[in-house]
Amino acid sequence: MASKTIKDIARAANVSYSTVSRALNRKEGVGAATRERIFVIAKEFGYTPNAIAQGLVTQRTKTIGLVLPDVTNPFFPEVAAGVELAADELGLSVFLCNTNWDKEKEERYLRLLAQRRVDGIIVSLIADEPEELVRDAVGDTPVVYVNHAPLRTERPFVAIDEDRGSYMATRHLIDQGYDTVGFIGAEAGGITSIPRLHGYRRAIEDAGIQYDERYVGLPRAGESSGSDIIMRMISEGCCPRALFAQNDVTAFSVMQGAQACGLRVPEDLAVIGFDDIPTAGFEAVGLSTIRQPKRELGRLSVELLRRQIESSLPEEGDSNQILLEPELVIRRTSGAARPQEPRR
Amino acid sequence: MASKTIKDIARAANVSYSTVSRALNRKEGVGAATRERIFVIAKEFGYTPNAIAQGLVTQRTKTIGLVLPDVTNPFFPEVAAGVELAADELGLSVFLCNTNWDKEKEERYLRLLAQRRVDGIIVSLIADEPEELVRDAVGDTPVVYVNHAPLRTERPFVAIDEDRGSYMATRHLIDQGYDTVGFIGAEAGGITSIPRLHGYRRAIEDAGIQYDERYVGLPRAGESSGSDIIMRMISEGCCPRALFAQNDVTAFSVMQGAQACGLRVPEDLAVIGFDDIPTAGFEAVGLSTIRQPKRELGRLSVELLRRQIESSLPEEGDSNQILLEPELVIRRTSGAARPQEPRR
DNA sequence: ATGAAAGCGCTAACAA
DNA sequence: TTGTTAGCGCTTTCAT
């Protein structure tokens, strides 16, 4: 029952097993006849090369790991698709790991991939892990950060300018005429909440508006979504006229909560998100947002990883740390304020 | 630079390398002192066990493969989450592969996983592959089908009763008072389009309605989404009053297309989907649908795989072929028809 | 063109 | 308790 090996084939073909190896790998120096015979037997035996054994000797697994926090947020699958595509072109397969916003799981997966001796790892960290932690988990395995870069890392990364994007989003809301513009953090936004909140605050203060904590809704214990937060804000009587949500999924949730409380979007509450996940563009939704070049993020991270694998040098330096530009996408949910119609 | 091996540690600790192996694997028969020494050195060396080598000798990789057609459709990540959870409890890691509705890629991944000698594979096939094809790709590797079962397979599977669910969806629309109820297939619905169309047709005919092909929109060449199809139907003047979409993503797309043409949902066009992806439940959307127990699908498939791996017998039989019941979820988009308000 | 043999890093008998 | 040895299935010199 155990699958056939190269030796079984060798025996059946009456050659040494090194000849079989050569034939199967299409290497020079095998007689056409023998080669033919070997292929026939291999097919007949249903031979499947043992990649484990191959990897052991070649020290190359032709596999890369992709560690993502949440495949359930459509943003990540889009990035994954970009990675897949690019990896495919290089003949690499992708081992996708979902950490589910669990720090321990993240570490476990990084370690695991290193143990499996993948050729490299692309990871979207869930928090600002100290570099040594990552290093400890992956050892010498090449790593590229995607979607976010830990502070002062020397590793290659591809991300977008979160601060800038958040500034643009907030600014847009202000320009639309809203006097009170709030921020809502994601339940599991991990690392991105810091720069996004920061960009929000910058825009607020640049506009000469007083930064007001009451309009900043960060998830508290027991709150699991943007909907919970907006409902809290409403019940506390400090719901702003416009909101910048940390990401589109949160924005959706916020809108759901607001609508459940009888608020209309954007008439009573304007909303803008971040990411531009596919559903944001749906007619029925029309969520204004900051677009991230998701597939591109994926593609580029593979490219950076390839460089690192091939050179096998630590390969530091600017050109390997890419910051992409965000893009403002205006849709329905951030329609202009109507000052003639004061709230309530 | 190459990572340290067990031998390096042995040398440094002045013991044989089998002792190191024993110590590191927490096996009996190692002096507390030596054990201690070995651990210290291992840590110091940043030792990472080579899973490749381990797998080669133990013949067990503690890894399973999960092959999915489209992580971009929120249905699949939910199933994946279920698989992850269950696998985790068994100490297995999951190698997630996205075929992107590409048959060739699917075969490649199955083969690849088999070559990597994963302990087993859970796959959601994109079409009704003949059993031999799968067999040819995976060899003796245990396989469980999820989300769909190929006709007359003897392998274990977990799926829901698609035909039944589709019947329920269609029936619901009819009960709501719609006289014309259509069907829209998914752009890349793969295998599920057959039973879902079948269930639709059964319900139509059971209700004494004449099955009318004009109301059945299957994607044609060049059409990439439900939106394209509904727009074609509208332009051809044969848009029904209510629609059962093959899945929620398609339903979303259909609604987008309909609304772009000025139709209101559900006033002008009632819609019901299939899957109950998370966004379907959002207030702003309120998509009626047929719920699939997605996480459960994942959990159960892992359980079936575990059985198969442990027994290593082909393990056929009824109890390993699970058909779950679908559940009708009524929301906003399938509101009752208002006969007093004839169309147009 | 083919074979023999070494060895990738590890586990698991079997000895000592 | 520890060491020795034989592989796991494969690629890759080095001979022939």
Side-chain angles (χ1 to χ4, degrees), chain A residues 5-244:
Chain A
T5 77
I6 219 176
K7 285 190 182 172
D8 297 315
I9 299 178
R11 205 171 306 124
N14 246 307
V15 292
S16 78
Y17 64 91
S18 51
T19 301
V20 176
S21 171
R22 275 189 287 255
L24 260 21
N25 289 306
R26 299 167 162 67
K27 298 226 162 141
E28 295 296 291
V30 183
T34 357
R35 176 200 212 84
E36 185 64 22
R37 191 150 38 97
I38 289 171
F39 270 93
V40 170
I41 297 176
K43 169 137 295 180
E44 183 188 321
F45 280 11
Y47 171 73
T48 306
N50 186 327
I52 299 279
Q54 286 177 158
L56 187 58
V57 27
T58 61
Q59 308 280 30
R60 282 285 232 113
T61 55
K62 286 285 185 184
T63 305
I64 64 175
L66 175 60
V67 181
L68 263 20
D70 186 10
V71 280
T72 262
N73 177 338
F75 170 77
F76 293 106
E78 288 292 322
V79 175
V83 169
E84 285 265 344
L85 246 56
D88 218 67
E89 287 169 10
L90 300 176
L92 299 171
S93 21
V94 180
F95 195 152
L96 176 47
C97 306
N98 187 209
T99 63
N100 202 29
W101 300 112
D102 181 339
K103 229 167 148 161
E104 200 194 314
K105 224 170 163 185
E106 175 177 278
E107 205 210 308
R108 265 226 332 259
Y109 270 125
L110 288 175
R111 180 156 276 129
L112 203 85
L113 288 166
Q115 290 179 184
R116 293 268 190 289
R117 296 295 191 269
V118 294
D119 294 339
I121 299 175
I122 296 173
V123 56
S124 174
L125 251 23
I126 69 178
D128 248 320
E129 331 286 36
E131 189 68 28
E132 315 98 60
L133 246 174
V134 175
R135 169 84 204 181
D136 179 68
V138 304
D140 298 329
T141 312
V143 170
V144 167
Y145 295 121
V146 69
N147 182 39
H148 160 269
L151 266 41
R152 285 183 300 285
T153 182
E154 294 186 326
R155 296 194 193 266
F157 66 77
V158 206
I160 72 151
D161 191 333
E162 314 241 27
D163 185 87
R164 182 126 194 288
S166 306
Y167 188 95
M168 289 162 68
T170 311
R171 180 65 202 223
H172 166 65
L173 257 15
I174 296 170
D175 288 346
Q176 288 289 72
Y178 295 99
D179 46 353
T180 50
V181 176
F183 175 86
I184 288 214
E187 65 280 31
I191 207 161
T192 62
S193 61
I194 295 149
R196 293 196 187 168
L197 180 53
H198 185 261
Y200 158 79
R201 182 168 190 160
R202 266 204 313 128
I204 289 289
E205 293 176 343
D206 277 7
I209 303 174
Q210 175 67 37
Y211 176 80
D212 188 337
E213 276 202 334
R214 289 174 309 154
Y215 294 146
V216 174
L218 269 6
R220 295 182 188 165
E223 290 177 334
S224 69
S225 70
S227 144
D228 292 345
I229 302 177
I230 186 70
M231 287 168 95
R232 179 186 84 214
M233 283 177 142
I234 293 172
S235 75
E236 287 175 356
C238 50
C239 176
R241 293 292 298 263
L243 269 174
F244 164 45

Side-chain angles (χ1 to χ4, degrees), chain B residues 44-308:
Chain B
E44 184 187 322
F45 280 11
Y47 172 73
T48 306
N50 186 328
I52 300 280
Q54 285 177 159
L56 188 58
V57 28
T58 62
Q59 307 282 27
R60 282 287 229 112
T61 55
K62 285 284 184 185
T63 305
I64 64 175
L66 175 60
V67 181
L68 262 20
D70 186 10
V71 280
T72 262
N73 177 339
F75 170 77
F76 293 106
E78 288 292 322
V79 175
V83 168
E84 285 265 344
L85 246 56
D88 219 67
E89 287 169 11
L90 300 176
L92 299 171
S93 22
V94 180
F95 194 151
L96 175 48
C97 306
N98 187 209
T99 62
N100 202 30
W101 300 111
D102 181 339
K103 229 167 149 161
E104 201 193 314
K105 225 170 162 185
E106 176 177 277
E107 205 210 309
R108 267 227 331 260
Y109 270 124
L110 288 175
R111 180 156 275 128
L112 203 85
L113 289 166
Q115 290 180 184
R116 293 269 189 290
R117 297 296 191 267
V118 294
D119 294 340
I121 299 174
I122 297 174
V123 56
S124 175
L125 251 24
I126 69 179
D128 249 320
E129 331 286 37
E131 189 68 29
E132 315 97 61
L133 246 174
V134 176
R135 169 84 205 182
D136 180 68
V138 304
D140 299 330
T141 312
V143 169
V144 167
Y145 295 121
V146 69
N147 181 40
H148 159 270
L151 266 42
R152 285 183 300 284
T153 183
E154 293 187 327
R155 297 196 193 265
F157 65 77
V158 206
I160 71 150
D161 191 334
E162 315 240 26
D163 185 86
R164 183 125 193 288
S166 306
Y167 188 96
M168 288 162 70
T170 310
R171 181 63 203 224
H172 165 64
L173 256 18
I174 296 170
D175 289 346
Q176 288 290 71
Y178 295 100
D179 47 352
T180 51
V181 176
F183 174 86
I184 289 213
E187 65 279 32
I191 206 161
T192 62
S193 60
I194 295 150
R196 293 196 187 168
L197 180 54
H198 185 263
Y200 158 80
R201 182 166 190 163
R202 265 204 315 128
I204 289 289
E205 293 177 342
D206 277 7
I209 302 174
Q210 176 68 35
Y211 176 80
D212 189 337
E213 277 202 333
R214 289 174 309 153
Y215 294 146
V216 174
L218 269 6
R220 296 182 187 165
E223 290 177 333
S224 68
S225 70
S227 144
D228 292 344
I229 302 178
I230 187 71
M231 287 169 96
R232 178 186 85 214
M233 282 177 144
I234 292 172
S235 75
E236 287 176 355
C238 50
C239 176
R241 293 291 299 263
L243 269 175
F244 164 44
Q246 187 181 326
N247 59 231
D248 287 353
V249 171
T250 300
F252 279 132
S253 178
V254 163
M255 292 193 288
Q256 181 178 21
Q259 275 155 344
C261 292
L263 296 187
R264 290 160 305 162
V265 173
E267 293 84 349
D268 301 314
L269 177 69
V271 175
I272 188 166
F274 203 113
D275 288 348
D276 195 28
I277 61 177
T279 34
F282 283 3
E283 192 77 16
V285 178
L287 177 65
S288 295
T289 189
I290 299 295
R291 172 173 301 153
Q292 294 212 56
K294 299 164 283 296
R295 310 286 253 236
E296 196 58 17
L297 242 29
R299 296 199 84 91
L300 285 171
S301 58
V302 172
E303 169 58 17
L304 292 185
L305 192 57
R306 187 189 60 74
R307 285 190 209 164
Q308 205 183 154

